[in-house]
Structure formats: structure tokens, C-alpha cells
Amino acid sequence: MRSDNVKTGMQQAPHRSLFNALGFTEEEMKKPMVGIVSSYNEIVPGHMNLDKIVNAVKLGVAEAGGVPVVFPAIAVCDGIAMGHVGMKYSLVTRDLIADSTECMAMAHQFDALVMVPNCDKNVPGLLMAAARINVPTVFVSGGPMLAGKINGCKRSLSSMFEAVGSYAAGTMTEDEVKEYEEKVCPTCGSCSGMYTANSMNCLTEALGMGLGGNGTIPAVYSDRIRLAKHAGMAVMDMYNKNIRPRDIMTKEAIINALTVDMALGCSTNSMLHLPAIAHEVGFDFDIKYANPISEKTPNLCHLAPAGPTYMEDLNEAGGVYAVMKELADAGLLNTDCMTVTGKTVGENIKNAVNKNPEVIRPLDNPYTKTGGLAVLSGNLAPDGSVVKRSAVVPEMLVHEGPARVFECEEDAIAAIKGGKIVAGDVVVIRYEGPKGGPGMREMLNPTSAIAGMGLGSSVALITDGRFSGASRGASIGHVSPEAAVGGPIALVEEGDIIKINIPEMTLNVDISDEEMAARKAKWQPKQTEVTGYLKRYREMVTSGNRGAILETK
């Protein structure tokens, strides 16, 4: 046992005295020690129930012969952090979570781990940590929130942000906004659409790191408690069979995850997190690799904000395994990949059934023949940019219009709500990238304001920042290189014609190479003054097209 390094032998007598202080018995000292990484807190709605999940995991571990030991991980609620300086502190926590979990696991020599995340950066941060630590590890999340209901229709957090835009446009009253405020988030759990948290929790199943149902069983269902107990048992089975994360998170598994992502229509943030996870296992993931996968992978699901269905509907339709079965039947998945069940992907999904062809479209009736995400390149994004094309209305798949240039998110929101943005415009928000922000803020407020103002089918938005999974429309993020390092987005001027062609996967500004070079020669770097962690982060972070991973010079 790895934990023998702190439990066995005369040299470890001082260590054992400290385990005695923890109340360990002699019997427990002889068993594997399983770290349970709890992201529980009382500020994130998706994390307020994790104490119950953790307790269920502990029971499962103990039942299967291990000794469960809980330690914490931080979490930021992206919804609460949205639209102010707090959003600079969201993406950056992914690396804090990975680093701190690595520190705790290595310092205390756990034999195995169960990761209990739920929202946004916790899942990828803990997947990164799992790859580094490489002891048997299972993921079990807190589960998605149930959708809210207003006038008999399902609604979610993205509806709330768009309601604010509708109020600014004069198409919704204050009382109507208040009703949304009280009803769109009715339970604990990760917000109910296919946003970043639910995208990443679904992808734990596709990667093989979570049990079936991990991404979709609602937070308030007792099935979630049973799943947590089984996760505790599963990690002990992995320990006995010596199955480790790097046996599971292979290049082939990451390609599987990207394929499932395309079918589900996941958040654009997965194009930050999958490259970062791949980096930890030694796979150099270029985001442009997504396009050939997207071209052959049909989009089978239109969950909110792309469509009218929610995570609870996907769960009832058969969940992620049912989507994977559709893809496997078409030969689009590697079914030989190992998983945390001790079985292959093919063995896990062989009995999966699509119970609702309106929620999970069959292969002969997809929403589109291509996947949910696309990487656009051109003279405005030489290293690529990302759009959730499954959430773009048909009339905006090809668009050109004048650039309306803003140096930060706040200025753009003021212009949108002030009626200064009109049909046909292309809103450009720059200096919001990994270095420029720093922290690569999500742009849910401006995209929601555009939709709420009734401009969702006529205005595009491009940024070197990123978008919430709740964003919809022609929202193109991760433009690389970013403005802060002199990327072409820094050189765009008011009125330049921006040309977007999502089917052809291009993003260009209609100026000559000579004009671009002349502007670059006159460009001066611009940085906001920051201190503390953000300063260190800015010095180490790489571009969005590389997953905003951290590197030392």
C-alpha cells in the first residue's frame, strides 16, 4: 500500500501517533486509505448538497474495505462571479484545485481517491489532479439542478440572464423578471442546461472516469446517493485491480470525450478543459483537431440553451450512455477503452437504450450532421477560435458586418443595453483573454443582453475571452492569439468588416496583410494592473487555443 509510507515501520512511529490523534484504530491502519476530495461549500448551489454525496461515498468505501478520509477543494460559482471582477477568479481556480489536490494527496500518501466536484472548474481541475497523482480514482458529482417552470415552460439560469436583457429592451416588466428570479433555479445542483458544469460531468462518463449516470442524475434524486455509494465501492475495486487514471485517460479516451461532446452539444469551455487534461497525460491536444471529429459526428442533442430540453430530460432518455451507444453503433467511439467500472466502454454501454428520440436524436435524424462545436481560423484567429455552432441560429452561420470594438466586457454591455448596437453589427470584446483579463472572463452578460434585446439572430460577438455554457448565438470565443500578446484581434478598428463563416470554419477581418502589418508595427501592449495570484497567473498562462495551461518560462 502506498499509505505504508506513513503507517508502517519503526521510522513511521511518529506518523502513527498522529493517526492515533485522528482516532484511527489498529484495524484501520492495515487497510487502504482513500482520500475523498470534497468540494462542498455553502456559496455554490451545485455544492450545497455535496456533504450528503461525500457521506454516501464514505459508506461505500468502508463497505468495500477501505478507510475514507475527507479533505477539501475550493469552488467558485460562475453565476455569482459573472459580470464583475469575480469572474477573473473563475478559470484560474482550475489550476489551484489541481495543485492543492496534488499537494494533499502526495503529502499524505493516499492509496486511492474519490473526487466529489460539481460546478465548472472543479471537474477539470480534479481530472488534471487525478492524472498527476495516478492512484485509483473515481469521480462522482453532485448532479444537475432540476429546471424551473414558468407558465408551464421549463426555464434555467440562461433564461434569467436573458430576462434582464429583455427588461432593458422594454419587453419584460420588473414583475416578470422577479418571477423568473424566484423560479428559474428551484433546487440545489449544477444549473440545469448543458452548461460547463454539466458538460464536464457528462464527459467524465465519456472519458471513463465516472460511473454511468454521473453527468445526468439530478442532484435531488436518491439515485444520486446510491451512485455515490457505488463510487466508493468502485474505487476499492479499482484499487484491488490496480486500475489507474492514466490507464483510463488515454489519447483514445480523450478523443472519445470530444466525440461525445460533439453529439451532446457541450459548452465551448470543454475546448479549454480537454486540452488541459490531455496535457497532464502527455497528449498535445490542438483545438483544430476538433474539426475533423466534428465533421463526422452528428449533433444528437439540443439541451438548453440550444433547445428546449434539460438535464433531467437527458437522464430520463437514457443519459450519456444512450448517446454513446448511438455513436458506438456508427463506429464513432473506441469501445476498447478501460473505465472505472473495470470494464471497457463497450461493455458499459452494450445495454444502453435511447428512450426518447426527441431528446436524443437517432443517427438517421440528427439535429445536424456535424458536431456541436467548431474551431474557426483565419486572419483574425490564426491559432483558432471556438463557437458552439449547435446554439447558432441558421441565419447567423454565415455573417459579415462592421466591428464594434470594446476594450472590456463592461463597455460592451453598456453599449448593448444603451441601444448602440444594431442588427448586422459584430461586437468585438478584447483584452479579456487568459493574460489580458487576466483570467479569461465568461461573457454571459453581453450574449444574454444581445438575446434579450432581440438581436440574437442578427448580431455576432467575438472575443479573446470565453463564454458560459449558458451562452447562445453567434458567440465566438478563445480568439487566439489574444489581444494582450498582439494577436490580430488587438488590431481591429471600429467599422472594419468582420466575416464569419461557420460552415467553412473561417473568421476573418476584411483588411489586407499590408494593413495588418502596419497596424501591428504601431501597436503598444496594454495590461491592467493586478496583484497577488492573478499576477502570477498572467505570467505563467498560455493561450486559449492551448487550454490556458500554465507553463514556466
Side-chain angles (χ1 to χ4, degrees):
M1 290 189 295
R2 183 190 187 107
S3 60
D4 284 345
N5 291 327
V6 292
K7 293 190 305 188
T8 302
M10 183 53 66
Q11 289 297 319
Q12 280 65 44
H15 305 68
R16 289 194 295 276
S17 70
L18 293 169
F19 280 107
N20 288 337
L22 291 169
F24 272 53
T25 65
E26 287 188 18
E27 291 81 3
E28 287 175 315
M29 295 285 280
K30 297 173 183 176
K31 296 178 181 179
M33 188 166 64
V34 181
I36 301 174
V37 186
S38 171
S39 304
Y40 169 78
N41 64 44
E42 295 182 342
I43 189 62
V44 183
H47 291 230
M48 63 184 286
N49 66 318
L50 294 190
D51 55 340
K52 295 177 178 61
I53 302 299
V54 167
N55 284 337
V57 172
K58 290 172 69 176
L59 288 171
V61 168
E63 174 73 18
V67 180
V69 182
V70 178
F71 65 90
I74 63 169
V76 164
C77 177
D78 277 20
I80 295 173
M82 195 72 65
H84 57 90
V85 68
M87 184 45 69
K88 294 178 184 286
Y89 288 88
S90 172
L91 178 61
V92 304
T93 65
R94 184 186 70 184
D95 296 276
L96 283 174
I97 291 161
D99 292 348
S100 61
T101 303
E102 176 190 0
C103 290
M104 288 294 289
M106 298 304 294
H108 301 103
Q109 294 291 285
F110 290 103
D111 297 297
L113 296 167
V114 180
M115 307 296 198
V116 188
N118 208 24
C119 292
D120 296 290
K121 312 311 167 293
N122 285 82
V123 187
L126 291 177
L127 283 165
M128 291 162 66
R132 293 182 197 173
I133 301 158
N134 203 35
V135 297
T137 303
V138 173
F139 276 68
V140 58
S141 77
M145 184 184 291
L146 294 178
K149 287 188 178 178
I150 298 175
N151 298 324
C153 297
K154 290 183 178 181
R155 293 289 184 262
S156 63
L157 184 65
S158 55
S159 310
M160 184 71 252
F161 278 89
E162 291 178 15
V164 174
S166 297
Y167 176 76
T171 57
M172 186 174 280
T173 68
E174 186 174 348
D175 285 344
E176 288 172 325
V177 173
K178 181 69 173 175
E179 183 179 13
Y180 271 64
E181 186 180 325
E182 291 176 348
K183 293 181 179 178
V184 297
C185 296
T187 71
C188 63
S190 49
C191 297
S192 56
M194 187 54 81
Y195 310 146
T196 305
N198 291 326
S199 295
M200 293 308 302
N201 281 321
C202 286
L203 294 187
T204 62
E205 294 187 51
L207 278 169
M209 291 297 292
L211 300 177
N214 185 51
T216 60
I217 297 171
V220 295
Y221 284 12
S222 296
D223 272 355
R224 177 66 52 181
I225 300 295
R226 288 194 285 272
L227 182 75
K229 291 176 182 176
H230 284 135
M233 297 174 192
V235 82
M236 292 307 300
D237 185 54
M238 289 178 71
Y239 172 79
N240 292 328
K241 295 176 179 176
N242 196 29
I243 299 172
R244 301 173 182 238
R246 289 183 205 165
D247 301 324
I248 296 170
M249 289 192 286
T250 60
K251 176 181 177 179
E252 292 75 18
I254 291 168
I255 297 303
N256 274 354
L258 183 56
T259 302
V260 173
D261 183 300
M262 294 297 177
L264 285 171
C266 290
S267 164
T268 52
N269 280 312
S270 61
M271 295 304 293
L272 281 174
H273 302 321
L274 285 176
I277 295 161
H279 176 73
E280 297 292 346
V281 297
F283 170 31
D284 187 12
F285 185 111
D286 186 327
I287 63 168
K288 293 178 184 177
Y289 192 64
N291 284 342
I293 293 175
S294 181
E295 285 303 292
K296 65 182 181 182
T297 306
N299 178 225
L300 305 180
C301 300
H302 262 195
L303 289 99
T309 54
Y310 293 79
M311 296 305 297
E312 61 207 67
D313 302 312
L314 179 59
N315 186 63
E316 291 166 12
V320 176
Y321 275 12
V323 176
M324 293 175 70
K325 183 66 161 55
E326 294 278 359
L327 296 172
D329 286 348
L332 294 172
L333 287 185
N334 185 322
T335 55
D336 294 328
C337 292
M338 179 52 61
T339 74
V340 294
T341 65
K343 300 177 181 178
T344 64
V345 166
E347 290 173 309
N348 286 344
I349 66 174
K350 66 179 180 180
N351 295 320
V353 175
N354 181 354
K355 301 175 182 177
N356 189 335
E358 291 303 312
V359 176
I360 304 171
R361 291 277 185 94
L363 288 167
D364 59 2
N365 183 35
Y367 281 100
T368 58
K369 293 182 179 180
T370 54
L373 299 179
V375 174
L376 313 184
S377 302
N379 72 346
L380 190 50
D383 293 338
S385 60
V386 182
V387 63
K388 186 173 183 176
R389 69 171 152 193
S390 60
V392 180
V393 293
E395 55 265 40
M396 289 298 290
L397 290 171
V398 178
H399 177 80
E400 64 178 76
R404 304 297 309 279
V405 183
F406 302 94
E407 308 297 302
C408 66
E409 176 189 7
E410 288 83 357
D411 291 349
I413 293 170
I416 296 164
K417 291 185 176 178
K420 297 179 181 178
I421 302 301
V422 299
D425 285 348
V426 179
V427 176
V428 177
I429 305 177
R430 61 192 180 193
Y431 293 100
E432 292 284 7
K435 286 184 181 292
M440 206 177 188
R441 289 195 290 180
E442 286 185 343
M443 301 290 151
L444 179 56
N445 272 337
T447 57
S448 298
I450 287 170
M453 296 288 284
L455 298 170
S457 59
S458 60
V459 169
L461 190 155
I462 69 171
T463 180
D464 52 7
R466 61 195 177 94
F467 293 108
S468 164
S471 294
R472 62 186 176 97
S475 304
I476 302 166
H478 309 194
V479 172
S480 301
E482 63 174 292
V485 298
I489 192 172
L491 311 177
V492 174
E493 295 180 358
E494 187 82 6
D496 284 347
I497 300 300
I498 306 292
K499 296 183 175 181
I500 300 164
N501 192 317
I502 295 174
E504 294 186 4
M505 301 175 187
T506 58
L507 177 63
N508 290 289
V509 55
D510 192 16
I511 61 174
S512 67
D513 292 345
E514 292 77 14
E515 174 64 17
M516 186 78 83
R519 292 182 187 183
K520 181 63 181 286
K522 294 186 288 186
W523 175 78
Q524 293 293 321
K526 172 190 170 186
Q527 282 191 344
T528 54
E529 188 62 35
V530 292
T531 59
Y533 180 58
L534 288 182
K535 183 177 182 180
R536 298 197 302 276
Y537 183 86
R538 183 168 64 190
E539 290 172 354
M540 298 176 68
V541 72
T542 61
S543 182
N545 69 297
R546 296 187 60 202
I549 61 173
L550 301 186
E551 285 186 342
T552 54
K553 295 180 181 178

